[in-house]
């Protein structure tokens, strides 16, 4: 995780510098700031800073991975990585629900936006709890 937060932090600093430079340059060139590009660069900075901050936060709480150690070997990273779903229809449903909500925004229909957002919450919950079986309660006699 140490490598990831450093990469995201460098990119975030670069995007902040370019965003400020772009805003100043367009203001000096045309007399007014070109807001679309400036805001896009600053939002990209914010996204990279959030990712870098998350990786930094996680890196402080876990042990060093083989990728983070200078003496790490490829074989040190061998073994089980985790569980990955072999196939799931929930991502398709989530994308469809987001498309419905987005289409509702495009044509500005409140009922379609609400329907899409409810569908997004339901499909995201389905994706999250797809393999959740819960705790089994046993009756003690």
């Amino acid at each position: 995780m140490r490598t990831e937060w450093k990469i995201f932090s460098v990119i975030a600093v670069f995007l902040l510098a370019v965003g400020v430079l772009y805003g100043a340059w367009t203001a000096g060139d045309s007399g007014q700031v070109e807001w679309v590009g400036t805001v896009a660069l600053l939002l990209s900075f914010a996204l990279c800073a959030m990712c870098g901050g998350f990786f930094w936060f996680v890196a402080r709480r876990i042990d060093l991975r083989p990728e983070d150690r200078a003496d790490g070997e490829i074989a040190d990273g061998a073994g089980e990585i985790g569980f990955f779903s072999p196939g799931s229809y929930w991502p398709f449903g989530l994308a469809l629900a987001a498309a419905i909500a987005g289409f509702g925004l495009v044509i500005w229909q409140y009922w379609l936006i609400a329907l899409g957002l409810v569908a997004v919450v339901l499909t995201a919950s389905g994706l999250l709890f797809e393999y959740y079986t819960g705790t089994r309660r046993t009756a003690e006699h």
Side-chain angles (χ1 to χ4, degrees):
M1 293 288 173
R2 297 187 195 283
T3 305
E4 288 90 346
W5 79 261
K6 290 177 184 176
I7 290 171
F8 274 103
S9 298
V10 167
I11 293 171
V13 169
F14 171 76
L15 286 170
L16 178 63
V18 169
V20 170
L21 179 68
Y22 182 79
W25 195 323
T26 57
D29 191 35
S30 64
Q32 59 185 3
V33 175
E34 197 277 313
W35 287 108
V36 175
T38 305
V39 170
L41 285 167
L42 294 177
L43 287 176
S44 298
F45 153 73
L47 182 62
C48 284
M50 283 190 306
C51 291
F54 171 77
F55 286 133
W56 172 75
F57 183 75
V58 170
R60 293 185 319 145
R61 286 169 173 69
I62 63 172
D63 293 332
L64 284 177
R65 300 176 304 161
E67 300 91 48
D68 296 327
R69 293 193 331 248
D71 63 340
E73 296 289 330
I74 293 175
D76 294 339
E80 185 177 332
I81 296 174
F83 174 75
F84 299 98
S85 177
S88 175
Y89 294 108
W90 287 110
F92 175 75
L94 186 59
L96 184 63
I100 290 170
F103 185 66
L105 281 171
V106 167
I107 61 174
W108 202 245
Q109 295 294 316
Y110 295 116
W111 66 272
L112 195 56
I113 296 169
L115 178 74
L117 291 177
V118 167
V120 163
V121 169
L122 291 175
T123 54
S125 300
L127 181 64
L128 179 65
F129 296 116
E130 183 172 12
Y131 292 104
Y132 179 73
T133 57
T135 57
R136 296 180 188 222
R137 296 182 184 183
T138 58
E140 295 182 23
H141 298 291

